[in-house]
Each structure stands twice: as C-alpha cells, then as structure tokens.
Amino acid sequence: MMHAQFDPIARQALAAAAVEAKIAKDLTWQQIADAAGYSTAFVTAAVLGRHPLPEQAATAVAALLDLGDEAAALLQIIPTRGSIPGGVPTDPMIYRFYEMLQVYGTTLKALIHEQFGDGIISAVNFKLDVKKVPDPESGERAVITLDGKYLPAEPF
C-alpha cells in the first residue's frame, strides 16, 4: 500500500543522512542510481526527498548507503514536495534557474502555447537529464533537458 508523508522533517533528516553516507563512501549519484536501477536525476531527486522509490530500489539504495530498513521504508513513502520555502531562493545555483525562468518563462510559455495550445507541461510524467559538454569558446557547458508530457487544458 502506498502511503503519503505529511511531515517532511523525517524525509529531510534522511536526505541529510544519505548525503553524509554518499560523501563518506565517496560515491557518485550515478553509482547510487545504478544500484537503484533508475535514472540519475530520478534517484537523486528521490534520495533528496522529492520522489518515492519502488521497494527494490529503496532497499538497494539504503543498503548501499548503510542506512537500514527504516530508511528503506521511508524512501518508499510519497513525500511532501516543494524545495524552495520562503520565496526567492538564495543558493546561487538554484537562484540561477529562478533567474532563467524570470527571463525566459514568458518566452517558454508563448512558444509552448503556440505549438501545443492551452495547457501545461507535466512535472509528474517528466524526465530530466544533465550533461557536461565541451565548448571550445568557454570550456564547458551544462546541457539540461526538461522533458515533460504536454497536458492540454480541457473545458468542463
């Protein structure tokens, strides 16, 4: 049976413990994702408290990080989502994404609506990928792919 979490404190504590274990064991997010059997972005988000993991994946991650059975069970619970309490983010990396949406949000909205019509991009039926690519002019670039299902607005 799926359960939902309403108090995010336990999941935040688990995320902190998982990151500490990741550092202590000198693991990468890719290695943790490989153990779970899902994409790096999905597993990272799950370990950081944004998604539940299926039982087998949760058990594998908890074992890899030596977190125990209680952590494996908690990793399976649907979390309370949302990661920017208090408004505008202050972490420079997260703020830059906020800034990108401030600058390009209306452009994205206009282009998506022109191509698809009225609706939204799903954050549930969604894929995320981050790649480092060489750039002869600036050294390295980050290529971020946001791939979400389009959901049309329906009159009712």
Side-chain angles (χ1 to χ4, degrees):
M1 172 188 288
M2 296 295 286
H3 294 282
Q5 173 193 28
F6 294 100
D7 181 1
I9 294 171
R11 197 60 182 264
Q12 290 167 353
L14 175 57
V19 170
E20 288 174 14
K22 174 191 174 292
I23 292 167
K25 291 176 162 280
D26 196 29
L27 295 170
T28 65
W29 288 114
Q30 182 63 59
Q31 290 170 314
I32 297 168
D34 289 345
Y38 291 93
S39 76
T40 305
F42 182 80
V43 173
T44 302
V47 172
L48 295 177
R50 302 297 167 239
H51 297 299
L53 284 174
E55 183 178 3
Q56 186 174 15
T59 301
V61 168
L64 178 65
L65 297 175
D66 294 325
L67 296 174
D69 294 340
E70 189 175 312
L74 187 54
L75 283 167
Q76 296 172 61
I77 294 174
I78 300 168
T80 301
R81 293 179 171 102
S83 62
I84 306 177
V88 178
T90 57
D91 177 276
M93 177 57 76
I94 297 172
Y95 175 79
R96 292 296 173 244
F97 284 99
Y98 179 80
E99 179 182 41
M100 287 175 218
L101 286 175
Q102 288 291 318
V103 174
Y104 293 104
T106 54
T107 301
L108 289 167
K109 178 180 173 60
L111 294 172
I112 290 167
H113 286 176
E114 180 177 84
Q115 293 178 40
F116 293 91
D118 187 15
I120 62 168
I121 304 298
S122 174
V124 175
N125 188 336
F126 186 81
K127 296 175 185 173
L128 166 69
D129 190 38
V130 178
K131 288 188 174 128
K132 179 168 69 170
V133 297
D135 183 325
E137 294 179 16
S138 64
E140 297 174 331
R141 297 187 71 80
V143 176
I144 300 160
T145 303
L146 307 172
D147 179 350
K149 179 180 172 125
Y150 182 75
L151 302 171
E154 300 283 338
F156 59 93

